[in-house]
Amino acid sequence: IIGTGSGTVIDPSGVILTNAHVATPSDIELTGLQIAVTTSTDRPAEPTYSAEVVAADTVLDLAVIRITDTLDGSPVPDDLAFVSLGNSDQLEIGDDISILGYPGIGGDTVTFTAGQVSGFTGDAVLGDRAWIKTDATIAGGNSGGLAANALGEIIGIPTRSGTTSDIVDCRVIVDTNRDGEINEQDTCVPLGGFINGLRPIALASDMIDAVLNGVAYEPIGGLPEPGSST
């Protein structure tokens, strides 16, 4: 089964940040992870690499995956283009945000959405900035993608599970998981209101540091069973 989602390269060695529900979905069994690379904004991303999950957290709904091989058998480059990490704790209401991802509606090319920080949502576990709220309407396929500040740094991850209480109308009308059927397994498309929140990059810092330093990450939630998504 093929599922799709977005992600951002955050290290030139091929470390990618995405959502846990993209890399380790609970509703489908993946046989592998394939990375398609954006080479042109007017063309679909090109399948280029294989990858593996190296850290995941179901409470944060965040995961880090790492490129392991190229699909054509050539060496994996160690100087991939990447996005620098920003500081989501410095964001304030009214700050501009640029969002990039593959929403799966209106075509297969990368989509840009501009918005502003409209507020923050906290919870008892993750603190006052569990979510960044934005006035941008973001389609569900953008989950795992890039929310950048004015400097082009990643400051948030569009996440389908955020601000669900603000959904006005969301319907399954597109075969987003590419299984040939349009059903409840597909991501709903927002016809009004919000579907996504932005998970602040600050909440991913421990996971990213662990992966880059080669140590085990201790998730707030739980890791999937070994081999469940690779």
Side-chain angles (χ1 to χ4, degrees):
I1 294 177
I2 299 176
T4 60
S6 303
T8 303
V9 178
I10 57 171
D11 186 80
S13 65
V15 173
I16 297 170
L17 181 64
T18 186
N19 282 140
H21 78 260
V22 170
T24 59
S26 60
D27 54 345
I28 59 176
E29 182 177 352
L30 299 182
T31 57
L33 293 176
Q34 190 176 94
I35 306 301
V37 177
T38 304
T39 58
S40 176
T41 57
D42 58 359
R43 296 181 58 84
E46 297 182 5
T48 306
Y49 304 108
S50 297
E52 63 180 0
V53 179
V54 289
D57 194 309
T58 57
V59 169
L60 296 174
D61 195 3
L62 295 176
V64 174
I65 62 180
R66 178 184 284 122
I67 292 172
T68 56
D69 302 285
T70 59
L71 299 182
D72 63 6
S74 61
V76 176
D78 59 5
D79 58 350
L80 293 171
F82 68 99
V83 178
S84 298
L85 305 182
N87 188 341
S88 56
D89 289 338
Q90 293 181 344
L91 288 175
E92 293 297 342
I93 290 176
D95 285 353
D96 292 331
I97 294 179
S98 299
I99 298 163
L100 290 166
Y102 287 84
I105 56 175
D108 296 325
T109 56
V110 68
T111 297
F112 169 82
T113 304
Q116 293 181 319
V117 175
S118 58
F120 305 94
T121 300
D123 67 34
V125 175
L126 302 178
D128 293 337
R129 295 196 178 199
W131 297 101
I132 301 166
K133 296 191 293 184
T134 175
D135 59 1
T137 300
I138 314 165
N142 279 306
S143 282
L146 169 67
N149 61 17
L151 299 176
E153 301 166 330
I154 181 172
I155 46 78
I157 303 91
T159 302
R160 186 178 61 195
S161 56
T163 62
T164 53
S165 62
D166 292 329
I167 295 175
V168 173
D169 193 3
C170 185
R171 301 176 187 174
V172 176
I173 58 175
V174 178
D175 181 19
T176 58
N177 67 3
R178 310 291 180 86
D179 65 356
E181 298 181 1
I182 298 176
N183 54 34
E184 65 276 3
Q185 301 300 323
D186 294 301
T187 300
C188 65
V189 175
L191 303 180
F194 301 104
I195 187 173
N196 294 350
L198 306 176
R199 188 63 93 183
I201 192 67
L203 295 180
S205 59
D206 288 347
M207 180 185 300
I208 295 169
D209 288 344
V211 170
L212 294 180
N213 289 299
V215 299
Y217 169 70
E218 296 292 335
I220 299 172
L223 286 168
E225 292 297 320
S228 63
S229 62
T230 57

mmCIF file with all atom_site columns, all heavy atoms in Angstrom, residues 104-133:
data_model
loop_
_atom_site.group_PDB
_atom_site.id
_atom_site.type_symbol
_atom_site.label_atom_id
_atom_site.label_alt_id
_atom_site.label_comp_id
_atom_site.label_asym_id
_atom_site.label_entity_id
_atom_site.label_seq_id
_atom_site.pdbx_PDB_ins_code
_atom_site.Cartn_x
_atom_site.Cartn_y
_atom_site.Cartn_z
_atom_site.occupancy
_atom_site.B_iso_or_equiv
_atom_site.pdbx_formal_charge
_atom_site.auth_seq_id
_atom_site.auth_comp_id
_atom_site.auth_asym_id
_atom_site.auth_atom_id
_atom_site.pdbx_PDB_model_num
ATOM 1   N N   . GLY A 1 104 ? -2.071 17.159 -2.326  1.00 0.00 ? 104 GLY A N   1
ATOM 2   C CA  . GLY A 1 104 ? -2.775 16.080 -3.008  1.00 0.00 ? 104 GLY A CA  1
ATOM 3   C C   . GLY A 1 104 ? -4.071 16.515 -3.660  1.00 0.00 ? 104 GLY A C   1
ATOM 4   O O   . GLY A 1 104 ? -4.857 15.691 -4.093  1.00 0.00 ? 104 GLY A O   1
ATOM 5   N N   . ILE A 1 105 ? -4.329 17.813 -3.725  1.00 0.00 ? 105 ILE A N   1
ATOM 6   C CA  . ILE A 1 105 ? -5.515 18.305 -4.413  1.00 0.00 ? 105 ILE A CA  1
ATOM 7   C C   . ILE A 1 105 ? -5.074 19.324 -5.449  1.00 0.00 ? 105 ILE A C   1
ATOM 8   O O   . ILE A 1 105 ? -4.142 20.084 -5.233  1.00 0.00 ? 105 ILE A O   1
ATOM 9   C CB  . ILE A 1 105 ? -6.541 18.940 -3.452  1.00 0.00 ? 105 ILE A CB  1
ATOM 10  C CG1 . ILE A 1 105 ? -5.900 20.062 -2.631  1.00 0.00 ? 105 ILE A CG1 1
ATOM 11  C CG2 . ILE A 1 105 ? -7.152 17.902 -2.544  1.00 0.00 ? 105 ILE A CG2 1
ATOM 12  C CD1 . ILE A 1 105 ? -6.871 20.804 -1.743  1.00 0.00 ? 105 ILE A CD1 1
ATOM 13  N N   . GLY A 1 106 ? -5.719 19.302 -6.593  1.00 0.00 ? 106 GLY A N   1
ATOM 14  C CA  . GLY A 1 106 ? -5.406 20.258 -7.637  1.00 0.00 ? 106 GLY A CA  1
ATOM 15  C C   . GLY A 1 106 ? -4.097 19.982 -8.356  1.00 0.00 ? 106 GLY A C   1
ATOM 16  O O   . GLY A 1 106 ? -3.553 20.862 -9.021  1.00 0.00 ? 106 GLY A O   1
ATOM 17  N N   . GLY A 1 107 ? -3.583 18.749 -8.253  1.00 0.00 ? 107 GLY A N   1
ATOM 18  C CA  . GLY A 1 107 ? -2.356 18.408 -8.946  1.00 0.00 ? 107 GLY A CA  1
ATOM 19  C C   . GLY A 1 107 ? -1.319 17.822 -8.005  1.00 0.00 ? 107 GLY A C   1
ATOM 20  O O   . GLY A 1 107 ? -1.513 17.759 -6.792  1.00 0.00 ? 107 GLY A O   1
ATOM 21  N N   . ASP A 1 108 ? -0.194 17.384 -8.582  1.00 0.00 ? 108 ASP A N   1
ATOM 22  C CA  . ASP A 1 108 ? 0.840  16.689 -7.827  1.00 0.00 ? 108 ASP A CA  1
ATOM 23  C C   . ASP A 1 108 ? 2.071  17.543 -7.556  1.00 0.00 ? 108 ASP A C   1
ATOM 24  O O   . ASP A 1 108 ? 3.100  17.037 -7.131  1.00 0.00 ? 108 ASP A O   1
ATOM 25  C CB  . ASP A 1 108 ? 1.273  15.419 -8.572  1.00 0.00 ? 108 ASP A CB  1
ATOM 26  C CG  . ASP A 1 108 ? 0.143  14.413 -8.692  1.00 0.00 ? 108 ASP A CG  1
ATOM 27  O OD1 . ASP A 1 108 ? -0.665 14.336 -7.735  1.00 0.00 ? 108 ASP A OD1 1
ATOM 28  O OD2 . ASP A 1 108 ? 0.073  13.714 -9.724  1.00 0.00 ? 108 ASP A OD2 1
ATOM 29  N N   . THR A 1 109 ? 1.998  18.841 -7.831  1.00 0.00 ? 109 THR A N   1
ATOM 30  C CA  . THR A 1 109 ? 3.157  19.702 -7.628  1.00 0.00 ? 109 THR A CA  1
ATOM 31  C C   . THR A 1 109 ? 3.138  20.315 -6.229  1.00 0.00 ? 109 THR A C   1
ATOM 32  O O   . THR A 1 109 ? 2.112  20.338 -5.556  1.00 0.00 ? 109 THR A O   1
ATOM 33  C CB  . THR A 1 109 ? 3.198  20.822 -8.682  1.00 0.00 ? 109 THR A CB  1
ATOM 34  O OG1 . THR A 1 109 ? 1.970  21.551 -8.628  1.00 0.00 ? 109 THR A OG1 1
ATOM 35  C CG2 . THR A 1 109 ? 3.375  20.238 -10.082 1.00 0.00 ? 109 THR A CG2 1
ATOM 36  N N   . VAL A 1 110 ? 4.299  20.815 -5.815  1.00 0.00 ? 110 VAL A N   1
ATOM 37  C CA  . VAL A 1 110 ? 4.408  21.434 -4.505  1.00 0.00 ? 110 VAL A CA  1
ATOM 38  C C   . VAL A 1 110 ? 3.539  22.686 -4.445  1.00 0.00 ? 110 VAL A C   1
ATOM 39  O O   . VAL A 1 110 ? 3.369  23.386 -5.449  1.00 0.00 ? 110 VAL A O   1
ATOM 40  C CB  . VAL A 1 110 ? 5.887  21.762 -4.188  1.00 0.00 ? 110 VAL A CB  1
ATOM 41  C CG1 . VAL A 1 110 ? 6.413  22.862 -5.100  1.00 0.00 ? 110 VAL A CG1 1
ATOM 42  C CG2 . VAL A 1 110 ? 6.073  22.118 -2.719  1.00 0.00 ? 110 VAL A CG2 1
ATOM 43  N N   . THR A 1 111 ? 2.945  22.930 -3.280  1.00 0.00 ? 111 THR A N   1
ATOM 44  C CA  . THR A 1 111 ? 2.014  24.039 -3.125  1.00 0.00 ? 111 THR A CA  1
ATOM 45  C C   . THR A 1 111 ? 2.491  24.977 -2.027  1.00 0.00 ? 111 THR A C   1
ATOM 46  O O   . THR A 1 111 ? 2.924  24.528 -0.961  1.00 0.00 ? 111 THR A O   1
ATOM 47  C CB  . THR A 1 111 ? 0.610  23.520 -2.782  1.00 0.00 ? 111 THR A CB  1
ATOM 48  O OG1 . THR A 1 111 ? 0.135  22.728 -3.873  1.00 0.00 ? 111 THR A OG1 1
ATOM 49  C CG2 . THR A 1 111 ? -0.363 24.670 -2.557  1.00 0.00 ? 111 THR A CG2 1
ATOM 50  N N   . PHE A 1 112 ? 2.404  26.271 -2.303  1.00 0.00 ? 112 PHE A N   1
ATOM 51  C CA  . PHE A 1 112 ? 2.803  27.305 -1.352  1.00 0.00 ? 112 PHE A CA  1
ATOM 52  C C   . PHE A 1 112 ? 1.558  27.986 -0.786  1.00 0.00 ? 112 PHE A C   1
ATOM 53  O O   . PHE A 1 112 ? 0.631  28.324 -1.519  1.00 0.00 ? 112 PHE A O   1
ATOM 54  C CB  . PHE A 1 112 ? 3.680  28.345 -2.054  1.00 0.00 ? 112 PHE A CB  1
ATOM 55  C CG  . PHE A 1 112 ? 3.936  29.586 -1.246  1.00 0.00 ? 112 PHE A CG  1
ATOM 56  C CD1 . PHE A 1 112 ? 4.928  29.610 -0.283  1.00 0.00 ? 112 PHE A CD1 1
ATOM 57  C CD2 . PHE A 1 112 ? 3.181  30.735 -1.466  1.00 0.00 ? 112 PHE A CD2 1
ATOM 58  C CE1 . PHE A 1 112 ? 5.166  30.759 0.464   1.00 0.00 ? 112 PHE A CE1 1
ATOM 59  C CE2 . PHE A 1 112 ? 3.413  31.888 -0.732  1.00 0.00 ? 112 PHE A CE2 1
ATOM 60  C CZ  . PHE A 1 112 ? 4.412  31.895 0.238   1.00 0.00 ? 112 PHE A CZ  1
ATOM 61  N N   . THR A 1 113 ? 1.552  28.163 0.533   1.00 0.00 ? 113 THR A N   1
ATOM 62  C CA  . THR A 1 113 ? 0.481  28.888 1.203   1.00 0.00 ? 113 THR A CA  1
ATOM 63  C C   . THR A 1 113 ? 1.105  29.909 2.137   1.00 0.00 ? 113 THR A C   1
ATOM 64  O O   . THR A 1 113 ? 2.023  29.589 2.894   1.00 0.00 ? 113 THR A O   1
ATOM 65  C CB  . THR A 1 113 ? -0.417 27.939 2.026   1.00 0.00 ? 113 THR A CB  1
ATOM 66  O OG1 . THR A 1 113 ? -0.933 26.923 1.176   1.00 0.00 ? 113 THR A OG1 1
ATOM 67  C CG2 . THR A 1 113 ? -1.573 28.700 2.646   1.00 0.00 ? 113 THR A CG2 1
ATOM 68  N N   . ALA A 1 114 ? 0.623  31.134 2.090   1.00 0.00 ? 114 ALA A N   1
ATOM 69  C CA  . ALA A 1 114 ? 1.125  32.187 2.975   1.00 0.00 ? 114 ALA A CA  1
ATOM 70  C C   . ALA A 1 114 ? 0.102  32.477 4.058   1.00 0.00 ? 114 ALA A C   1
ATOM 71  O O   . ALA A 1 114 ? -1.105 32.425 3.817   1.00 0.00 ? 114 ALA A O   1
ATOM 72  C CB  . ALA A 1 114 ? 1.433  33.448 2.182   1.00 0.00 ? 114 ALA A CB  1
ATOM 73  N N   . GLY A 1 115 ? 0.576  32.762 5.244   1.00 0.00 ? 115 GLY A N   1
ATOM 74  C CA  . GLY A 1 115 ? -0.321 33.089 6.341   1.00 0.00 ? 115 GLY A CA  1
ATOM 75  C C   . GLY A 1 115 ? 0.417  33.820 7.441   1.00 0.00 ? 115 GLY A C   1
ATOM 76  O O   . GLY A 1 115 ? 1.580  34.210 7.274   1.00 0.00 ? 115 GLY A O   1
ATOM 77  N N   . GLN A 1 116 ? -0.253 33.999 8.532   1.00 0.00 ? 116 GLN A N   1
ATOM 78  C CA  . GLN A 1 116 ? 0.339  34.638 9.700   1.00 0.00 ? 116 GLN A CA  1
ATOM 79  C C   . GLN A 1 116 ? 0.037  33.821 10.945  1.00 0.00 ? 116 GLN A C   1
ATOM 80  O O   . GLN A 1 116 ? -0.920 33.024 10.969  1.00 0.00 ? 116 GLN A O   1
ATOM 81  C CB  . GLN A 1 116 ? -0.222 36.054 9.875   1.00 0.00 ? 116 GLN A CB  1
ATOM 82  C CG  . GLN A 1 116 ? 0.178  37.023 8.782   1.00 0.00 ? 116 GLN A CG  1
ATOM 83  C CD  . GLN A 1 116 ? -0.397 38.402 9.024   1.00 0.00 ? 116 GLN A CD  1
ATOM 84  O OE1 . GLN A 1 116 ? -1.537 38.555 9.437   1.00 0.00 ? 116 GLN A OE1 1
ATOM 85  N NE2 . GLN A 1 116 ? 0.407  39.422 8.773   1.00 0.00 ? 116 GLN A NE2 1
ATOM 86  N N   . VAL A 1 117 ? 0.856  34.015 11.975  1.00 0.00 ? 117 VAL A N   1
ATOM 87  C CA  . VAL A 1 117 ? 0.576  33.407 13.260  1.00 0.00 ? 117 VAL A CA  1
ATOM 88  C C   . VAL A 1 117 ? -0.668 34.084 13.837  1.00 0.00 ? 117 VAL A C   1
ATOM 89  O O   . VAL A 1 117 ? -0.720 35.304 13.957  1.00 0.00 ? 117 VAL A O   1
ATOM 90  C CB  . VAL A 1 117 ? 1.758  33.584 14.238  1.00 0.00 ? 117 VAL A CB  1
ATOM 91  C CG1 . VAL A 1 117 ? 1.392  33.040 15.620  1.00 0.00 ? 117 VAL A CG1 1
ATOM 92  C CG2 . VAL A 1 117 ? 2.999  32.889 13.704  1.00 0.00 ? 117 VAL A CG2 1
ATOM 93  N N   . SER A 1 118 ? -1.688 33.281 14.145  1.00 0.00 ? 118 SER A N   1
ATOM 94  C CA  . SER A 1 118 ? -2.911 33.855 14.691  1.00 0.00 ? 118 SER A CA  1
ATOM 95  C C   . SER A 1 118 ? -3.077 33.564 16.177  1.00 0.00 ? 118 SER A C   1
ATOM 96  O O   . SER A 1 118 ? -4.001 34.080 16.812  1.00 0.00 ? 118 SER A O   1
ATOM 97  C CB  . SER A 1 118 ? -4.136 33.331 13.926  1.00 0.00 ? 118 SER A CB  1
ATOM 98  O OG  . SER A 1 118 ? -4.205 31.919 13.990  1.00 0.00 ? 118 SER A OG  1
ATOM 99  N N   . GLY A 1 119 ? -2.189 32.738 16.739  1.00 0.00 ? 119 GLY A N   1
ATOM 100 C CA  . GLY A 1 119 ? -2.278 32.443 18.163  1.00 0.00 ? 119 GLY A CA  1
ATOM 101 C C   . GLY A 1 119 ? -1.552 31.157 18.499  1.00 0.00 ? 119 GLY A C   1
ATOM 102 O O   . GLY A 1 119 ? -0.855 30.561 17.650  1.00 0.00 ? 119 GLY A O   1
ATOM 103 N N   . PHE A 1 120 ? -1.716 30.715 19.714  1.00 0.00 ? 120 PHE A N   1
ATOM 104 C CA  . PHE A 1 120 ? -1.061 29.497 20.191  1.00 0.00 ? 120 PHE A CA  1
ATOM 105 C C   . PHE A 1 120 ? -2.054 28.694 21.026  1.00 0.00 ? 120 PHE A C   1
ATOM 106 O O   . PHE A 1 120 ? -2.954 29.261 21.656  1.00 0.00 ? 120 PHE A O   1
ATOM 107 C CB  . PHE A 1 120 ? 0.169  29.827 21.037  1.00 0.00 ? 120 PHE A CB  1
ATOM 108 C CG  . PHE A 1 120 ? 1.160  30.712 20.323  1.00 0.00 ? 120 PHE A CG  1
ATOM 109 C CD1 . PHE A 1 120 ? 1.119  32.097 20.492  1.00 0.00 ? 120 PHE A CD1 1
ATOM 110 C CD2 . PHE A 1 120 ? 2.115  30.174 19.474  1.00 0.00 ? 120 PHE A CD2 1
ATOM 111 C CE1 . PHE A 1 120 ? 2.016  32.916 19.839  1.00 0.00 ? 120 PHE A CE1 1
ATOM 112 C CE2 . PHE A 1 120 ? 3.003  30.984 18.802  1.00 0.00 ? 120 PHE A CE2 1
ATOM 113 C CZ  . PHE A 1 120 ? 2.961  32.363 18.987  1.00 0.00 ? 120 PHE A CZ  1
ATOM 114 N N   . THR A 1 121 ? -1.884 27.380 21.016  1.00 0.00 ? 121 THR A N   1
ATOM 115 C CA  . THR A 1 121 ? -2.721 26.499 21.827  1.00 0.00 ? 121 THR A CA  1
ATOM 116 C C   . THR A 1 121 ? -1.808 25.640 22.692  1.00 0.00 ? 121 THR A C   1
ATOM 117 O O   . THR A 1 121 ? -0.843 25.055 22.183  1.00 0.00 ? 121 THR A O   1
ATOM 118 C CB  . THR A 1 121 ? -3.602 25.594 20.948  1.00 0.00 ? 121 THR A CB  1
ATOM 119 O OG1 . THR A 1 121 ? -4.445 26.406 20.133  1.00 0.00 ? 121 THR A OG1 1
ATOM 120 C CG2 . THR A 1 121 ? -4.455 24.672 21.799  1.00 0.00 ? 121 THR A CG2 1
ATOM 121 N N   . GLY A 1 122 ? -2.086 25.569 23.980  1.00 0.00 ? 122 GLY A N   1
ATOM 122 C CA  . GLY A 1 122 ? -1.282 24.771 24.890  1.00 0.00 ? 122 GLY A CA  1
ATOM 123 C C   . GLY A 1 122 ? -2.021 23.536 25.358  1.00 0.00 ? 122 GLY A C   1
ATOM 124 O O   . GLY A 1 122 ? -3.223 23.374 25.114  1.00 0.00 ? 122 GLY A O   1
ATOM 125 N N   . ASP A 1 123 ? -1.295 22.652 26.007  1.00 0.00 ? 123 ASP A N   1
ATOM 126 C CA  . ASP A 1 123 ? -1.926 21.536 26.702  1.00 0.00 ? 123 ASP A CA  1
ATOM 127 C C   . ASP A 1 123 ? -1.078 21.166 27.915  1.00 0.00 ? 123 ASP A C   1
ATOM 128 O O   . ASP A 1 123 ? 0.037  21.659 28.095  1.00 0.00 ? 123 ASP A O   1
ATOM 129 C CB  . ASP A 1 123 ? -2.179 20.329 25.788  1.00 0.00 ? 123 ASP A CB  1
ATOM 130 C CG  . ASP A 1 123 ? -0.923 19.645 25.291  1.00 0.00 ? 123 ASP A CG  1
ATOM 131 O OD1 . ASP A 1 123 ? 0.083  19.589 26.033  1.00 0.00 ? 123 ASP A OD1 1
ATOM 132 O OD2 . ASP A 1 123 ? -0.927 19.136 24.163  1.00 0.00 ? 123 ASP A OD2 1
ATOM 133 N N   . ALA A 1 124 ? -1.622 20.309 28.767  1.00 0.00 ? 124 ALA A N   1
ATOM 134 C CA  . ALA A 1 124 ? -0.987 20.009 30.049  1.00 0.00 ? 124 ALA A CA  1
ATOM 135 C C   . ALA A 1 124 ? 0.344  19.292 29.884  1.00 0.00 ? 124 ALA A C   1
ATOM 136 O O   . ALA A 1 124 ? 1.224  19.402 30.739  1.00 0.00 ? 124 ALA A O   1
ATOM 137 C CB  . ALA A 1 124 ? -1.935 19.161 30.899  1.00 0.00 ? 124 ALA A CB  1
ATOM 138 N N   . VAL A 1 125 ? 0.515  18.569 28.800  1.00 0.00 ? 125 VAL A N   1
ATOM 139 C CA  . VAL A 1 125 ? 1.731  17.777 28.604  1.00 0.00 ? 125 VAL A CA  1
ATOM 140 C C   . VAL A 1 125 ? 2.820  18.585 27.912  1.00 0.00 ? 125 VAL A C   1
ATOM 141 O O   . VAL A 1 125 ? 3.990  18.556 28.316  1.00 0.00 ? 125 VAL A O   1
ATOM 142 C CB  . VAL A 1 125 ? 1.423  16.501 27.788  1.00 0.00 ? 125 VAL A CB  1
ATOM 143 C CG1 . VAL A 1 125 ? 2.714  15.731 27.477  1.00 0.00 ? 125 VAL A CG1 1
ATOM 144 C CG2 . VAL A 1 125 ? 0.451  15.615 28.540  1.00 0.00 ? 125 VAL A CG2 1
ATOM 145 N N   . LEU A 1 126 ? 2.452  19.351 26.890  1.00 0.00 ? 126 LEU A N   1
ATOM 146 C CA  . LEU A 1 126 ? 3.443  19.986 26.024  1.00 0.00 ? 126 LEU A CA  1
ATOM 147 C C   . LEU A 1 126 ? 3.633  21.474 26.286  1.00 0.00 ? 126 LEU A C   1
ATOM 148 O O   . LEU A 1 126 ? 4.472  22.105 25.644  1.00 0.00 ? 126 LEU A O   1
ATOM 149 C CB  . LEU A 1 126 ? 3.061  19.762 24.556  1.00 0.00 ? 126 LEU A CB  1
ATOM 150 C CG  . LEU A 1 126 ? 2.943  18.296 24.136  1.00 0.00 ? 126 LEU A CG  1
ATOM 151 C CD1 . LEU A 1 126 ? 2.506  18.188 22.687  1.00 0.00 ? 126 LEU A CD1 1
ATOM 152 C CD2 . LEU A 1 126 ? 4.256  17.552 24.357  1.00 0.00 ? 126 LEU A CD2 1
ATOM 153 N N   . GLY A 1 127 ? 2.888  22.050 27.191  1.00 0.00 ? 127 GLY A N   1
ATOM 154 C CA  . GLY A 1 127 ? 3.115  23.440 27.552  1.00 0.00 ? 127 GLY A CA  1
ATOM 155 C C   . GLY A 1 127 ? 2.248  24.426 26.789  1.00 0.00 ? 127 GLY A C   1
ATOM 156 O O   . GLY A 1 127 ? 1.295  24.052 26.100  1.00 0.00 ? 127 GLY A O   1
ATOM 157 N N   . ASP A 1 128 ? 2.619  25.706 26.897  1.00 0.00 ? 128 ASP A N   1
ATOM 158 C CA  . ASP A 1 128 ? 1.798  26.779 26.343  1.00 0.00 ? 128 ASP A CA  1
ATOM 159 C C   . ASP A 1 128 ? 1.815  26.844 24.824  1.00 0.00 ? 128 ASP A C   1
ATOM 160 O O   . ASP A 1 128 ? 0.923  27.436 24.221  1.00 0.00 ? 128 ASP A O   1
ATOM 161 C CB  . ASP A 1 128 ? 2.264  28.128 26.893  1.00 0.00 ? 128 ASP A CB  1
ATOM 162 C CG  . ASP A 1 128 ? 2.011  28.265 28.382  1.00 0.00 ? 128 ASP A CG  1
ATOM 163 O OD1 . ASP A 1 128 ? 1.124  27.560 28.898  1.00 0.00 ? 128 ASP A OD1 1
ATOM 164 O OD2 . ASP A 1 128 ? 2.711  29.071 29.037  1.00 0.00 ? 128 ASP A OD2 1
ATOM 165 N N   . ARG A 1 129 ? 2.857  26.284 24.208  1.00 0.00 ? 129 ARG A N   1
ATOM 166 C CA  . ARG A 1 129 ? 2.949  26.315 22.745  1.00 0.00 ? 129 ARG A CA  1
ATOM 167 C C   . ARG A 1 129 ? 2.952  24.902 22.191  1.00 0.00 ? 129 ARG A C   1
ATOM 168 O O   . ARG A 1 129 ? 3.885  24.470 21.515  1.00 0.00 ? 129 ARG A O   1
ATOM 169 C CB  . ARG A 1 129 ? 4.187  27.085 22.288  1.00 0.00 ? 129 ARG A CB  1
ATOM 170 C CG  . ARG A 1 129 ? 4.130  28.565 22.648  1.00 0.00 ? 129 ARG A CG  1
ATOM 171 C CD  . ARG A 1 129 ? 5.143  29.383 21.883  1.00 0.00 ? 129 ARG A CD  1
ATOM 172 N NE  . ARG A 1 129 ? 5.039  30.799 22.213  1.00 0.00 ? 129 ARG A NE  1
ATOM 173 C CZ  . ARG A 1 129 ? 5.525  31.780 21.466  1.00 0.00 ? 129 ARG A CZ  1
ATOM 174 N NH1 . ARG A 1 129 ? 6.182  31.507 20.341  1.00 0.00 ? 129 ARG A NH1 1
ATOM 175 N NH2 . ARG A 1 129 ? 5.391  33.040 21.825  1.00 0.00 ? 129 ARG A NH2 1
ATOM 176 N N   . ALA A 1 130 ? 1.882  24.192 22.464  1.00 0.00 ? 130 ALA A N   1
ATOM 177 C CA  . ALA A 1 130 ? 1.737  22.855 21.890  1.00 0.00 ? 130 ALA A CA  1
ATOM 178 C C   . ALA A 1 130 ? 1.418  22.943 20.404  1.00 0.00 ? 130 ALA A C   1
ATOM 179 O O   . ALA A 1 130 ? 1.784  22.063 19.625  1.00 0.00 ? 130 ALA A O   1
ATOM 180 C CB  . ALA A 1 130 ? 0.634  22.081 22.613  1.00 0.00 ? 130 ALA A CB  1
ATOM 181 N N   . TRP A 1 131 ? 0.723  24.012 20.022  1.00 0.00 ? 131 TRP A N   1
ATOM 182 C CA  . TRP A 1 131 ? 0.371  24.249 18.625  1.00 0.00 ? 131 TRP A CA  1
ATOM 183 C C   . TRP A 1 131 ? 0.552  25.721 18.296  1.00 0.00 ? 131 TRP A C   1
ATOM 184 O O   . TRP A 1 131 ? 0.326  26.591 19.134  1.00 0.00 ? 131 TRP A O   1
ATOM 185 C CB  . TRP A 1 131 ? -1.094 23.882 18.342  1.00 0.00 ? 131 TRP A CB  1
ATOM 186 C CG  . TRP A 1 131 ? -1.412 22.435 18.537  1.00 0.00 ? 131 TRP A CG  1
ATOM 187 C CD1 . TRP A 1 131 ? -2.024 21.873 19.613  1.00 0.00 ? 131 TRP A CD1 1
ATOM 188 C CD2 . TRP A 1 131 ? -1.133 21.366 17.632  1.00 0.00 ? 131 TRP A CD2 1
ATOM 189 N NE1 . TRP A 1 131 ? -2.142 20.524 19.436  1.00 0.00 ? 131 TRP A NE1 1
ATOM 190 C CE2 . TRP A 1 131 ? -1.605 20.187 18.233  1.00 0.00 ? 131 TRP A CE2 1
ATOM 191 C CE3 . TRP A 1 131 ? -0.533 21.305 16.377  1.00 0.00 ? 131 TRP A CE3 1
ATOM 192 C CZ2 . TRP A 1 131 ? -1.499 18.949 17.623  1.00 0.00 ? 131 TRP A CZ2 1
ATOM 193 C CZ3 . TRP A 1 131 ? -0.417 20.069 15.757  1.00 0.00 ? 131 TRP A CZ3 1
ATOM 194 C CH2 . TRP A 1 131 ? -0.900 18.909 16.384  1.00 0.00 ? 131 TRP A CH2 1
ATOM 195 N N   . ILE A 1 132 ? 0.947  25.973 17.066  1.00 0.00 ? 132 ILE A N   1
ATOM 196 C CA  . ILE A 1 132 ? 0.919  27.320 16.498  1.00 0.00 ? 132 ILE A CA  1
ATOM 197 C C   . ILE A 1 132 ? -0.329 27.409 15.636  1.00 0.00 ? 132 ILE A C   1
ATOM 198 O O   . ILE A 1 132 ? -0.513 26.601 14.715  1.00 0.00 ? 132 ILE A O   1
ATOM 199 C CB  . ILE A 1 132 ? 2.156  27.601 15.627  1.00 0.00 ? 132 ILE A CB  1
ATOM 200 C CG1 . ILE A 1 132 ? 3.442  27.450 16.438  1.00 0.00 ? 132 ILE A CG1 1
ATOM 201 C CG2 . ILE A 1 132 ? 2.078  28.987 15.005  1.00 0.00 ? 132 ILE A CG2 1
ATOM 202 C CD1 . ILE A 1 132 ? 4.692  27.391 15.570  1.00 0.00 ? 132 ILE A CD1 1
ATOM 203 N N   . LYS A 1 133 ? -1.183 28.372 15.909  1.00 0.00 ? 133 LYS A N   1
ATOM 204 C CA  . LYS A 1 133 ? -2.362 28.578 15.071  1.00 0.00 ? 133 LYS A CA  1
ATOM 205 C C   . LYS A 1 133 ? -2.029 29.568 13.966  1.00 0.00 ? 133 LYS A C   1
ATOM 206 O O   . LYS A 1 133 ? -1.253 30.497 14.163  1.00 0.00 ? 133 LYS A O   1
ATOM 207 C CB  . LYS A 1 133 ? -3.532 29.093 15.909  1.00 0.00 ? 133 LYS A CB  1
ATOM 208 C CG  . LYS A 1 133 ? -4.015 28.114 16.955  1.00 0.00 ? 133 LYS A CG  1
ATOM 209 C CD  . LYS A 1 133 ? -5.327 28.536 17.568  1.00 0.00 ? 133 LYS A CD  1
ATOM 210 C CE  . LYS A 1 133 ? -5.191 29.798 18.383  1.00 0.00 ? 133 LYS A CE  1
ATOM 211 N NZ  . LYS A 1 133 ? -6.479 30.152 19.061  1.00 0.00 ? 133 LYS A NZ  1
#
